[in-house]
Amino acid sequence: MKTYEKKGDKATRNGFGEALAELGDTMPELVVIGADVTGSVLTSFFQAKHPDRFFSVGVAEQNATTVAVGMALSGKVAVFSSYSAFAAFRNADQLRVSVCYNEANVKIGGAHSGITVGPDGATHQSLEEIAFLRALPNLTLVSPCDYLEAKKATKAICEMVGPAFLRFGRPAVPMFTNDDTPFILGKANILREGNDVAIIACGLLVWESLLAAEKLQEIHGINARVINMHTIKPIDVQAIVDAARECACIVTAEEHQVHGGLGGAVAEVTAKNSPVPIELVGMKDSFGGSGEPFELAEKYGMTWKEIYASALVAIERKKGTYNKIRQVKDVATYHEGL
Amino acid sequence: MEYLRNINLLTNYSISINFRNFGLSKFSLYKIIKMDLQIKFEEKIFENKRRAPDEFKIIANTLRQDIIKSLLLAGSGHSGGPLGIADLMSVLYFGGYINYNPTEPEWKDRDRFVLSAGHMAPILYAVLARAGYFPAAELATLRKFGSRLQGHPGLDVKLPGIETSSGSLGQGVSIAVGMAMSHKLVDKDSKEVYAITGDGELQEGICWEAAMTAGTYGLDNFCWIVDNNDCQIDGRVKNVMSIYPIKEKFEAFGFTVFEIDGHNIVEIIQTLDKFTRYHALRKGKPVCIIAKTYMGNGVSFMHDNYKWHGNPPNKEQAAKALEELSK
Ligand SMILES: Cc1ncc(C[n+]2csc(CCOP(=O)(O)OP(=O)(O)O)c2C)c(N)n1
Ligand SMILES: [Mg+2]
């Protein structure tokens, strides 16, 4: 049941940058604040097209955030983008008090997120911001799965009123959604139907989940449902509850720490509505290191392989056939022969 | 509507009931009744217009009384800072400098004022009530459950006249810079933006990020007032962590700086005139007014004493303060 096809690679940051530049034509109230990483977060596209509405404040993420708030409180739609490592943490207090408590119409672009920023190493690999951001009242948090979705998501958050954070990445990643793929904030997309296990993913790991689902089908005849949970807050409770009731076991997959991220969000929903076994794929409570993006994804266990193995474990847990000896060896064992 | 109901509840009861809500012992309740201090907020509104210096002193003292009364009723909150900037605030809001319209708080041609030192909220609330944004009686609800007069200003409770929440030091002034940029650089209008920070607040790095931005963009529609009382929670600012020299720092960041006595009405008027009325003097630079003030000014036992940064007066102290302020 192959529903999605890869059509080349392109970075999600391109989607963000292009969308802003295009929106600038139709939204005269759109302003962008730069903090010395304009060329890497691709707000440079907007700057080139609309130089009179682009304002550089230098390497000063706290000030950039509150300056954006001041603009927003004066009637603008104010966008600030820097690396997620600094656009969600250096300015954490500003995000909490001035952006979210004020319900300011500020949009933050958290660029270069996750392990796939690569050789820059641990200082720049932000793998914790979902945990912080989804605890903030009033904030909309989106993690798009590919270039085109990043573009749609950027437009959607700029057109809605209120604080929003878009989390996206640096490297070129598979493009597999198309113009007709729906994008509605807060409404998850089911990319693949299935009732044996539900894989709920965001960002880069949505593609990996589709790969894992194919392998599960091919090798074990397992029908996995793949859900693209692009909006992490407000989360699509219905999609999670349906998945829990209909599949009775879940795997979550994200380019983020397993603590406090999408996995945590899904667990919160199921714990309250319909508890089922959940396996969490993500960074396992450690910092990363330098390397090539996909080398690191392999090393730290954020590829289709872990999703595949976790799905098998989740299904066994659901059936009650899962035992401790398997648990120790699970991922390694399931990788053999692939 | 919800808040209006709450306020009616809060203000229609007598003071002793308010105190009972705060869990004071029977003994102190008895004392309160025995002392028989009547806390009332007379509904009086001041116009925003040019005035003779003496009139501002009268307004400032009304504001100081409001501060003392609301803090007494609140049972917690900051006394020293708000009293210290009462003179400045009376000229700013009632001298025809800031353009605002209490009957239309969201009036699009208004100027903006940001109290970056959010802990000084009691003075802001007193000013807004006396400007006519809401009934003075509402000052009795400061810091209480269901009140629009939050411990630190909040936008969520929709108190008219509040431009942003503030309270996390340093953020307000950076927001004000964003507002000034929005007006000068995007809308290209002539709206002015005023902000007051404390002097301890200047220890926050973001203040200097904001200063750099204001200077670089030549925000001559921006007026940053520093309440230089040389007091903060832990002691004298110069001892806790010196921020001096302030003047040279702001000059280096591209500001036109005025150093004034923050209790000398004539000096305040003359300096604000330079900013607000004679645009040619601005020469494409933001303005910084360093106002030398005394914490707790107007109340003898609080005067220049950093221990009054964050405490409310008790009943006896309030009575004494109100007596001094009514002279
Ligand atoms: C970011 C932040 N850190 C700490 C505080 C706690 N705090 C409130 S007021 C204050 C002292 C500020 O001194 P100053 O600005 O001089 O105000 P004053 O004491 O003169 O009223 C502190 C540390 C805060 N509100 N925000
Ligand atoms: Mg001070």
Side-chain angles (χ1 to χ4, degrees):
Chain A
M1 207 220 281
K2 200 169 180 180
T3 45
Y4 278 82
E5 205 135 0
K6 179 174 152 176
K7 292 155 287 194
D9 295 291
K10 199 164 181 180
T12 44
R13 61 178 165 148
N14 283 76
F16 171 71
E18 288 172 24
L20 283 183
E22 286 172 22
L23 278 174
D25 296 335
T26 52
M27 288 178 76
E29 70 277 26
L30 190 68
V31 296
V32 176
I33 313 290
D36 206 31
V37 289
T38 306
S40 20
V41 305
L42 298 183
T43 44
S44 49
F45 298 162
F46 180 93
Q47 183 184 22
K49 225 173 162 193
H50 311 283
D52 51 331
R53 279 183 281 145
F54 178 88
F55 303 100
S56 166
V57 297
V59 207
E61 297 79 10
Q62 302 179 50
N63 188 47
T65 306
T66 25
V67 162
V69 171
M71 295 243 182
L73 294 179
S74 308
K76 308 294 172 294
V77 176
V79 178
F80 159 56
S81 181
S82 179
Y83 304 153
S84 223
F86 314 122
F89 293 109
R90 171 59 63 97
N91 57 347
D93 182 14
Q94 283 77 8
L95 285 176
R96 191 178 82 88
V97 176
S98 292
V99 176
C100 290
Y101 182 45
N102 268 338
E103 284 190 70
N105 206 3
V106 168
K107 320 297 169 184
I108 310 281
H112 288 31
S113 68
I115 197 79
T116 53
V117 67
D120 275 344
T123 54
H124 284 53
Q125 291 159 352
S126 74
L127 290 156
E128 302 80 14
E129 73 272 38
I130 293 177
F132 165 56
L133 295 169
R134 74 181 186 84
L136 291 177
N138 299 335
L139 187 74
T140 296
L141 172 59
V142 183
S143 169
C145 66
D146 71 354
Y147 155 77
L148 203 57
E149 190 168 83
K151 203 164 170 178
K152 291 179 198 165
T154 305
K155 293 193 174 167
I157 61 165
C158 288
E159 281 158 7
M160 64 164 259
V161 179
F165 191 106
L166 189 79
R167 182 183 195 251
F168 52 93
R170 182 178 192 279
V173 295
M175 288 191 287
F176 57 97
T177 66
N178 54 50
D179 289 331
D180 301 329
T181 315
F183 181 84
I184 301 167
L185 284 173
K187 178 120 184 56
N189 285 348
I190 298 177
L191 301 184
R192 193 180 192 285
E193 294 290 353
N195 281 345
D196 295 330
V197 58
I199 306 172
I200 305 180
C202 64
L204 179 58
L205 290 217
V206 174
W207 174 248
E208 298 292 321
S209 299
L210 288 168
L211 294 183
E214 270 166 44
K215 290 281 181 199
L216 288 165
Q217 175 81 63
E218 210 176 286
I219 300 172
H220 302 277
I222 289 169
N223 281 320
R225 177 180 303 188
V226 177
I227 300 174
N228 172 14
M229 192 62 74
H230 49 69
T231 308
I232 295 168
K233 184 173 187 160
I235 201 149
D236 187 342
V237 173
Q238 194 59 51
I240 297 172
V241 172
D242 289 348
R245 298 215 171 119
E246 289 157 23
C247 306
C249 67
I250 293 174
V251 175
T252 62
E254 62 200 303
E255 202 188 344
H256 184 273
Q257 300 288 356
V258 287
H259 296 138
L262 173 65
V266 169
E268 286 162 14
V269 173
T270 56
K272 182 155 166 55
N273 296 283
S274 185
V276 294
I278 302 180
E279 289 292 312
L280 287 77
V281 173
M283 193 75 176
K284 290 172 196 65
D285 199 18
S286 76
F287 285 104
S290 291
E292 287 312 310
F294 298 99
E295 201 170 77
L296 293 170
E298 289 268 335
K299 174 172 177 198
Y300 293 103
M302 288 175 279
T303 70
W304 69 269
K305 292 177 192 166
E306 287 71 28
I307 301 169
Y308 167 90
S310 301
L312 295 178
V313 172
I315 290 169
E316 287 202 23
R317 282 179 60 199
K318 150 168 100 171
K319 291 183 183 154
T321 53
Y322 183 66
N323 65 48
K324 285 215 162 69
I325 301 152
R326 291 289 283 278
Q327 191 175 9
V328 178
K329 299 198 281 184
D330 53 27
V331 174
T333 319
Y334 283 124
H335 276 179
E336 274 164 24
L338 289 177
Chain B
M1 276 346 273
E2 174 78 5
Y3 71 81
L4 276 181
R5 213 177 320 124
N6 285 330
I7 282 147
N8 282 336
L9 269 178
L10 285 165
T11 50
N12 285 348
Y13 286 85
S14 72
I15 172 167
S16 54
I17 289 180
N18 279 327
F19 271 91
R20 200 174 299 142
N21 286 344
F22 275 81
L24 291 190
S25 68
K26 277 206 179 108
F27 174 68
S28 52
L29 197 63
Y30 169 71
K31 266 204 338 197
I32 288 157
I33 293 161
K34 213 176 104 184
M35 278 197 52
D36 198 29
L37 177 60
Q38 291 289 318
I39 298 295
K40 264 206 196 120
F41 292 91
E42 204 187 315
E43 296 296 338
K44 193 184 333 166
I45 289 174
F46 299 112
E47 263 179 80
N48 184 20
K49 60 172 194 202
R50 292 213 71 124
R51 296 167 184 276
D54 292 352
E55 290 182 40
F56 289 113
K57 276 287 176 197
I58 295 167
I59 296 174
N61 267 5
T62 308
L63 298 174
R64 287 189 172 95
Q65 292 174 33
D66 287 341
I67 293 167
I68 295 291
K69 290 178 195 169
S70 55
L71 283 168
L72 170 70
L73 295 178
S76 71
H78 301 76
S79 305
L83 291 168
I85 60 169
D87 293 322
L88 282 164
M89 289 292 276
S90 71
V91 182
L92 257 179
Y93 263 86
F94 304 108
Y97 294 97
I98 301 178
N99 280 312
Y100 58 87
N101 182 357
T103 56
E104 198 190 335
E106 304 277 301
W107 178 40
K108 71 172 185 12
D109 285 336
R110 73 193 187 279
D111 295 324
R112 307 287 185 124
F113 173 79
V114 174
L115 183 64
S116 190
H119 63 281
M120 299 191 196
I123 178 77
L124 182 58
Y125 298 148
V127 162
L128 294 178
R130 296 299 166 200
Y133 279 96
F134 53 84
E138 199 170 337
L139 294 174
T141 69
L142 176 68
R143 288 179 164 248
K144 289 184 180 164
F145 187 74
S147 169
R148 300 191 292 180
L149 278 57
Q150 295 285 296
H152 294 79
L155 269 191
D156 56 341
V157 287
K158 309 214 180 328
L159 186 70
I162 300 283
E163 297 285 2
T164 176
S165 56
S166 59
S168 175
L169 293 172
Q171 294 192 33
V173 75
S174 170
I175 291 174
V177 166
M179 290 173 170
M181 287 171 73
S182 181
H183 283 296
K184 186 179 162 69
L185 307 175
V186 187
D187 299 341
K188 301 189 174 32
D189 62 29
S190 58
K191 305 294 169 305
E192 280 147 15
V193 181
Y194 297 79
I196 295 187
T197 63
D199 47 4
E201 184 173 5
L202 295 184
Q203 291 153 355
E204 288 284 356
I206 189 175
C207 290
W208 303 103
E209 296 179 6
M212 206 185 310
T213 308
T216 299
Y217 283 103
L219 300 180
D220 56 5
N221 58 337
F222 178 52
C223 178
W224 179 334
I225 301 172
V226 177
D227 171 40
N228 188 197
N229 58 12
D230 201 44
C231 287
Q232 62 185 115
I233 299 179
D234 282 355
R236 291 278 170 206
V237 174
K238 60 174 163 295
N239 298 332
V240 176
M241 172 49 66
S242 177
I243 47 146
Y244 300 104
I246 308 177
K247 182 167 187 269
E248 285 78 354
K249 282 195 181 71
F250 276 97
E251 277 171 353
F253 280 108
F255 281 69
T256 302
V257 185
F258 301 100
E259 277 180 307
I260 64 166
D261 172 350
H263 302 301
N264 183 324
I265 299 288
V266 175
E267 263 187 59
I268 300 172
I269 291 174
Q270 285 171 349
T271 314
L272 285 176
D273 275 351
K274 282 183 197 146
F275 173 72
T276 313
R277 302 227 158 86
Y278 307 113
H279 291 204
L281 290 180
R282 296 179 185 175
K283 298 203 186 79
K285 289 169 135 199
V287 162
C288 173
I289 300 175
I290 303 168
K292 300 263 180 215
T293 61
Y294 292 110
M295 179 172 270
N297 182 266
V299 175
S300 60
F301 56 93
M302 296 185 186
H303 186 82
D304 200 23
N305 182 350
Y306 66 82
K307 299 227 164 79
W308 279 100
H309 160 90
N311 309 322
N314 64 22
K315 186 93 177 178
E316 291 82 0
Q317 291 162 332
K320 182 155 195 294
L322 290 175
E323 194 198 318
E324 289 179 19
L325 290 167
S326 57
K327 273 179 196 152

